[in-house]
Each structure stands twice: as structure tokens, then as C-alpha cells.
Amino acid sequence: MARPTEISDEMLSLAENIVKEDDSVRQLRIGLSILLPKTCHITSAETAKVLGVGVATVVRLQKIIRDQVVGKPPKKGAWGGTTSHVMMG
């Protein structure tokens, strides 16, 4: 059985603010990645289904809030594939 996500009161408060104040889908998903498991007592897998993302993404979204609470600067994602350059002659 998977280990339950530990969500502090500070993380919950930040997630609530993000959901209330931001208007992007990404920010909404970040906030809901914390709010859903905390308020509905659901697993990361169930949260992933609700948000339409994978479990790894839920964990990554939760880490964004966890890092903000402890004061770590945000990191730019390095995933997304490669860019190919076509030479026009």
C-alpha cells in the first residue's frame, strides 16, 4: 500500500490561496493536488484520475507547493523532449 501524502497546514493554506487567486489551469492543478487528498481523503492515484494527469505529475505538483512553503526557489521543468533543427539550404 502506498504511503499517504503528508500535507501540512501551511501547504493547505497556500493551496487554497492558489486555487482562489490564480486563473491558469496549471495553477489550479497545483492547488488541487494538495486540496483533494487533504479534504477528500483520497490517494495520489485517485487525485491523478480527477486531475487528468499521472501519479508522478501529482507528486511533482505537490512538491511545488512543499518547496514554496519551505522557501526553496521554483525550478524550471527540464522535461519536454528535444528540439530538432532543420537546415534550409
Side-chain angles (χ1 to χ4, degrees):
M1 185 172 183
R3 177 179 65 170
T5 303
E6 291 187 25
I7 298 173
S8 68
D9 291 338
E10 293 86 7
M11 290 172 65
L12 183 62
S13 178
L14 179 57
E16 288 171 343
N17 288 338
I18 288 172
V19 169
K20 287 178 188 175
E21 296 175 9
D22 286 307
D23 58 356
S24 75
V25 173
R26 178 162 170 75
Q27 290 299 102
L28 180 61
R29 281 187 175 138
I30 290 170
L32 290 177
S33 73
I34 296 293
L35 292 176
L36 288 172
K38 183 68 172 181
T39 59
C40 299
H41 308 287
I42 62 175
T43 65
S44 292
E46 292 166 325
T47 301
K49 283 184 182 180
V50 171
L51 296 178
V53 298
V55 175
T57 299
V58 169
V59 173
R60 196 170 26 251
L61 295 173
Q62 291 171 342
K63 185 176 181 340
I64 291 169
I65 289 189
R66 185 173 291 111
D67 287 351
Q68 286 182 11
V69 167
V70 298
K72 286 187 180 178
K75 292 171 73 175
K76 183 177 179 181
W79 61 91
T82 61
T83 304
S84 62
H85 299 282
V86 178
M87 303 264 309
M88 298 298 250

